[in-house]
Amino acid sequence: MSALEKQVDGDHYRKYAIQPTEFIIRNEIPFAEANVIKYVIRWRDKGGLSDLRKAQHYLDMLIEIETRDQNQVQMLDPKTGSL
C-alpha cells in the first residue's frame, strides 16, 4: 500500500476519489489554503464545527495578511518605492 492510500487515525479522507493531500501537493497549494481545504473536507466526518472554525481561522489569517500587504503597497511612495 502506498503512503497516499494509507491513513493514520481514521478514515475520513479515504472516501474521496483524490486524497486532499495528493490534491494539495499536485496543485502546489500553499500551507494556509491547504489547511482550509483539509478542514472543510473533513468537518462532517471528524471535527464538526471545530473544523469549520479552524478553516475560518485560516481564512481570517489569509484576509488579514492580504489586506496588510495591499495596504503596504498602497502606502509606497510612487517616486521612491519606499514607505
Side-chain angles (χ1 to χ4, degrees), residues 17-77:
I18 299 170
Q19 290 263 355
T21 301
E22 184 175 3
F23 174 81
I24 289 163
I25 290 169
R26 286 180 177 233
N27 289 285
E28 299 178 5
I29 296 173
F31 179 81
E33 290 92 328
N35 277 322
V36 171
I37 293 167
K38 174 183 77 171
Y39 288 124
V40 168
I41 285 176
R42 77 182 203 182
W43 81 274
R44 284 185 181 94
D45 299 318
K46 186 170 185 198
L49 287 175
S50 176
D51 276 352
L52 289 179
R53 288 185 185 102
K54 290 174 186 179
Q56 183 177 31
H57 181 231
Y58 278 100
L59 286 170
D60 289 342
M61 286 190 287
L62 286 166
I63 291 167
E64 183 176 311
I65 291 166
E66 185 65 22
T67 302
R68 182 191 65 210
D69 291 348
Q70 285 179 2
N71 288 339
Q72 286 179 349
V73 169
Q74 290 173 359
M75 293 178 4
L76 290 178
D77 183 321

